[in-house]
Amino acid sequence: MMQRRPTSFDIAALAGVSQPTVSRALSGNPSVSAETRARVLAAAEELHYKVDKNASGLRRQLSRTLALLFFEEPSSDESLINPFYLSMLGPMVRQCAVHGYDLLISFQQLSSDWHVDYEDSRKADGIILLGYGDYLEYLPKLEQLIERGTHFVRWGSGDESQIGTTVSSDNEQGGFDATSHLLSKGRRKIAFIGTAEAGCPEFLERWRGYCRALRAAGLEPDDELRADAGPSESEGREALERLLDRGVEFDAIFAVSDVTAIGAMHALQAIGRGVPEVAVVGFDDIPAASLSSPALTTVAQDPRQAAEALIETVIAAIEGDGVPNRVLPVRLTVRQSSG
Amino acid sequence: MMQRRPTSFDIAALAGVSQPTVSRALSGNPSVSAETRARVLAAAEELHYKVDKNASGLRRQLSRTLALLFFEEPSSDESLINPFYLSMLGPMVRQCAVHGYDLLISFQQLSSDWHVDYEDSRKADGIILLGYGDYLEYLPKLEQLIERGTHFVRWGSGDESQIGTTVSSDNEQGGFDATSHLLSKGRRKIAFIGTAEAGCPEFLERWRGYCRALRAAGLEPDDELRADAGPSESEGREALERLLDRGVEFDAIFAVSDVTAIGAMHALQAIGRGVPEVAVVGFDDIPAASLSSPALTTVAQDPRQAAEALIETVIAAIEGDGVPNRVLPVRLTVRQSSG
DNA sequence: CATGGCTATACATACGTATTCAGCCCGCTT
DNA sequence: AAGCGGGCTGAATACGTATGTATAGCCATG
């Protein structure tokens, strides 16, 4: 059939009212009588009428859409998106739907000029930033966003800077819990695999939690037990190999991410040292964590909670409410790799 | 500062031309002189002008947006999105950007009335459907989409039905390649783990490829060697346990998905039968496949290629071009689990 | 009985862009 | 010199909705 899309005028004609009344009836305006509203709704239903998003957005000067921006370093294998971010995707979409928003997604090279794009073109009313790697790179762009009054939230670490609003996991507590767990299993020589450099604030916080737990048990962090590694399987493996080459003794490993931890487990298994003879704890609870053998003990971040916090925060910002930073609890998930 | 967003009239005033000329200059209309265009572009740049998406879409009667719809069975753990779909996400977004489209994402319960939503409200010009589980459930809705002239593509199996345009992997060939590989390693009793029911056409095709490979080697498929399992770790494990309980002999396993395969490997390891003494091959090449120990041999589908095919197909449909189904090649990726 | 208050609806308009059409200027032809 | 066509630009308008303002009907009140 392919006839023209019905407009609010068509509904109005069918319901025997004027176009503005249709608009008011559909938007729940209380000045429309119940009887009229019912007629309008019936007519809309009959013609499969849907409000035109473009027209509505133009008139109301907004889009009822949020933009989700993933940042990648130009170097990275494009397929390697942080699995935790991916697991937030479903809950985010759901939460957007709850609030009547659509979700637009986009990947950005750090170098591009995304910062002038989404809200400026009214594609989106607000922006959620999921950055990876060195956040310092795009810090200047955050300043620009703020200057122009753009509404945005980002996932990160609570106190890394005072730029914009953030939602984050309690990384410090996670590092503390993981390390305390290993200590409670009688381990005393706990290696830390992962960088504690400033470039990645989450990892730094996990390191701090690790140190706090050690000190709480009367131990002092030992630099010999630390091996730098980024969040990839090969880096985890290589870091563990360096540790072995160095001849350091250790009876447990706390790795800053699950992927790193799995790499380390592979390196251990390759030389015949079993897990959990060396106990291993990771961070993130990616799907592969429960599938590895032995299954990996890890500090789980709750993707649903994180997603909901992000969406609600950015919507609050759009609506002009106060928007405090939020730090979300983490949960130690004990599996076989720690005994 | 938070001043009003600049419009094309502001640009026009600054450049000393009229609003229509601005529109023409920015859209690359050749009837604008080079000199005028340069003035306009400079003015637009200066004021950080971006075309208002709502107004432009309203005028042109389109949205330059595609909607990506994930289907879930109401039952499923919401966090369990097909990892292959997730790995298509990045490439899809990229490909959309190449064609000047934005990508809207949405998750849908099979029961909802999504089919009247996106294109009807001009949120999107076309739809990409990624369905999971029993496609028969939403087949009637596809009919409705077609009736209303909606532009859509779906991921699925090439010949499962004649409803709409599909893009799919060559599942039959994948099953054939996996099985042939095991045969070439001298295996003769190859178990098939996964359902071959009609509900999931991909799996059925993989089963057919398995049968073809066996016959090509002079063997006959043996129903005793088949154990039904859906795409989850526990189903894979249980299927293998049933196989063991039955007392069937086997020296290799072809599982319809990586997750199933990993479940089967766990069951094997639990009873002390090693891999690759029993060789295992999966399907999908999810991230966990290369992280498992031993690393899993699998039939890889190329997410980038799949994503690009989907996007290009739906855009072609929007532009009114002919849109044939597409079947994409798969690639056997040999790792340790098959020796 | 007229007026005032109230409710439910209609009228008019603005949002910012893209496009159709008309007009202008200029150089060239006959 | 008049006509003419081509290259650029401006004026007018339409896209579909939401909302401010005006109006019609109605009941109650003085």
Side-chain angles (χ1 to χ4, degrees):
Chain A
M1 266 298 292
M2 275 310 289
Q3 61 213 350
R4 194 175 52 72
R5 250 169 60 81
T7 73
S8 50
F9 286 93
D10 299 315
I11 308 306
L14 183 59
V17 296
S18 69
Q19 178 270 328
T21 300
V22 172
S23 173
R24 282 190 259 261
L26 294 177
S27 64
N29 187 313
S31 78
V32 176
S33 70
E35 185 212 6
T36 305
R37 183 190 315 284
R39 267 213 322 283
V40 169
L41 289 178
E45 179 73 20
E46 185 179 337
L47 300 187
H48 300 298
Y49 171 76
K50 289 281 166 184
V51 172
D52 184 307
K53 249 225 145 208
N54 287 325
S56 173
L58 172 59
R59 174 63 230 236
R60 312 212 322 216
Q61 301 288 56
L62 46 77
S63 63
R64 282 257 142 190
T65 298
L66 301 179
L68 176 59
L69 265 58
F70 290 92
F71 283 85
E72 332 169 322
E73 314 223 32
S75 59
S76 78
D77 292 13
E78 46 191 289
S79 56
L80 207 78
I81 307 167
N82 187 328
F84 176 65
Y85 290 165
L86 288 181
S87 61
M88 281 201 277
L89 203 56
M92 277 198 186
V93 173
R94 223 176 303 274
Q95 194 65 9
C96 281
V98 165
H99 291 274
Y101 280 82
D102 290 318
L103 188 65
L104 210 57
I105 72 174
S106 178
F107 290 68
Q108 298 289 338
Q109 304 291 333
L110 285 179
S111 53
S112 70
D113 64 341
W114 53 273
H115 51 286
V116 294
D117 244 37
Y118 286 86
E119 203 161 329
D120 276 3
S121 62
R122 271 197 219 300
K123 283 183 195 174
D125 302 329
I127 299 177
I128 297 139
L129 298 172
L130 298 184
Y132 209 29
D134 195 347
Y135 80 104
L136 292 167
E137 297 259 351
Y138 53 90
L139 216 140
K141 309 215 177 185
L142 297 185
E143 308 260 21
Q144 290 190 33
L145 284 183
I146 293 189
E147 264 175 41
R148 319 189 55 172
T150 303
H151 309 106
F152 72 96
V153 201
R154 64 200 169 89
W155 178 258
S157 95
D159 56 25
E160 70 197 44
S161 74
Q162 294 310 318
I163 303 290
T165 309
T166 61
V167 174
S168 60
S169 282
D170 194 339
N171 290 295
E172 203 271 350
Q173 186 65 37
F176 179 85
D177 292 349
T179 310
S180 299
H181 167 67
L182 290 169
L183 289 165
S184 79
K185 292 280 176 182
R187 312 298 166 136
R188 286 296 175 271
K189 295 180 170 302
I190 304 173
F192 179 92
I193 300 196
T195 175
E197 302 301 308
C200 193
E202 288 101 319
F203 293 171
L204 181 55
E205 290 179 9
R206 291 170 196 177
W207 162 256
R208 291 211 186 102
Y210 162 85
C211 294
R212 177 160 67 90
L214 288 181
R215 295 204 175 98
L219 300 173
E220 198 55 30
D222 178 359
D223 267 352
E224 279 295 298
L225 281 169
R226 202 178 93 197
D228 280 359
S232 80
E233 195 269 351
S234 58
E235 284 178 277
R237 204 171 42 209
E238 288 156 14
L240 196 100
E241 283 161 3
R242 283 201 305 280
L243 219 52
L244 293 168
D245 289 349
R246 239 188 270 161
V248 194
E249 295 231 350
F250 55 89
D251 54 13
I253 293 170
F254 170 45
V256 286
S257 85
D258 286 348
V259 179
T260 313
I262 289 173
M265 288 208 300
H266 287 167
L268 283 174
Q269 288 162 346
I271 60 153
R273 287 189 71 173
V275 178
E277 282 80 73
V278 174
V280 179
V281 178
F283 209 112
D284 285 345
D285 199 20
I286 65 176
S290 61
L291 296 177
S292 71
S293 40
L296 184 65
T297 294
T298 190
V299 178
Q301 318 182 63
D302 182 347
R304 172 160 12 177
Q305 201 179 0
E308 290 174 0
L310 283 168
I311 300 298
E312 267 157 20
T313 301
V314 72
I315 289 179
I318 291 168
E319 293 174 350
D321 301 350
V323 280
N325 289 351
R326 286 183 59 179
V327 176
L328 304 173
V330 294
R331 192 171 45 79
L332 183 72
T333 301
V334 178
R335 298 202 183 93
Q336 287 80 47
S337 72
S338 61
Chain B
M1 263 298 293
M2 275 308 293
Q3 62 213 348
R4 194 177 52 72
R5 252 170 58 82
T7 73
S8 50
F9 286 93
D10 299 314
I11 308 305
L14 183 59
V17 296
S18 70
Q19 179 271 329
T21 300
V22 172
S23 174
R24 281 191 271 257
L26 294 178
S27 65
N29 187 312
S31 77
V32 176
S33 70
E35 185 212 7
T36 305
R37 183 190 317 283
R39 268 214 321 283
V40 169
L41 289 178
E45 178 74 21
E46 185 179 337
L47 300 186
H48 300 297
Y49 170 76
K50 290 281 166 183
V51 172
D52 184 307
K53 248 222 144 208
N54 286 324
S56 173
L58 173 59
R59 174 62 227 240
R60 313 212 327 219
Q61 300 290 52
L62 45 77
S63 63
R64 283 258 143 190
T65 298
L66 302 179
L68 176 59
L69 266 57
F70 289 92
F71 283 85
E72 332 170 323
E73 314 223 33
S75 59
S76 78
D77 292 12
E78 46 190 290
S79 56
L80 208 79
I81 308 166
N82 187 327
F84 176 64
Y85 290 165
L86 288 181
S87 62
M88 282 200 277
L89 202 57
M92 277 197 185
V93 173
R94 224 176 302 276
Q95 194 65 11
C96 281
V98 165
H99 291 274
Y101 280 82
D102 289 318
L103 188 65
L104 211 55
I105 72 174
S106 178
F107 290 68
Q108 298 289 338
Q109 304 291 334
L110 284 179
S111 53
S112 70
D113 64 340
W114 52 274
H115 51 286
V116 294
D117 244 36
Y118 286 86
E119 203 161 329
D120 276 4
S121 62
R122 272 199 217 300
K123 283 182 195 175
D125 302 328
I127 298 177
I128 297 140
L129 298 172
L130 297 184
Y132 211 28
D134 195 348
Y135 81 103
L136 291 167
E137 297 259 351
Y138 53 90
L139 216 139
K141 308 215 178 184
L142 297 185
E143 308 260 22
Q144 290 190 35
L145 284 184
I146 292 188
E147 263 175 41
R148 318 187 57 174
T150 303
H151 308 106
F152 72 96
V153 200
R154 65 199 168 89
W155 178 258
S157 96
D159 57 24
E160 69 197 46
S161 75
Q162 295 309 320
I163 304 289
T165 309
T166 61
V167 174
S168 60
S169 282
D170 194 339
N171 290 295
E172 205 272 349
Q173 186 65 37
F176 179 85
D177 291 348
T179 311
S180 298
H181 167 67
L182 290 169
L183 289 166
S184 79
K185 292 281 177 181
R187 311 299 168 136
R188 283 297 174 272
K189 297 181 169 300
I190 303 173
F192 179 92
I193 299 196
T195 176
E197 302 302 309
C200 192
E202 287 101 319
F203 293 170
L204 181 56
E205 290 180 8
R206 291 170 196 177
W207 162 255
R208 291 212 185 102
Y210 164 84
C211 294
R212 177 160 67 90
L214 288 181
R215 295 204 176 97
L219 299 172
E220 198 55 30
D222 177 0
D223 267 353
E224 280 295 299
L225 280 169
R226 202 179 92 197
D228 279 359
S232 79
E233 194 269 350
S234 58
E235 285 177 278
R237 204 171 44 209
E238 288 157 14
L240 195 101
E241 284 161 1
R242 284 201 305 281
L243 218 54
L244 293 168
D245 289 350
R246 239 189 270 162
V248 195
E249 295 231 350
F250 55 90
D251 54 13
I253 292 170
F254 170 46
V256 287
S257 84
D258 285 347
V259 179
T260 314
I262 289 172
M265 289 209 297
H266 288 166
L268 283 173
Q269 288 163 346
I271 60 153
R273 286 189 71 174
V275 178
E277 283 79 73
V278 175
V280 178
V281 178
F283 208 112
D284 285 345
D285 198 20
I286 64 176
S290 60
L291 296 177
S292 73
S293 41
L296 184 65
T297 294
T298 191
V299 179
Q301 318 182 63
D302 182 349
R304 172 162 10 178
Q305 202 179 0
E308 291 174 359
L310 284 168
I311 300 298
E312 267 158 19
T313 301
V314 72
I315 289 179
I318 291 169
E319 293 174 350
D321 301 350
V323 279
N325 290 351
R326 286 183 59 179
V327 176
L328 305 174
V330 294
R331 193 171 45 80
L332 182 73
T333 301
V334 178
R335 299 202 183 93
Q336 287 81 48
S337 72
S338 62

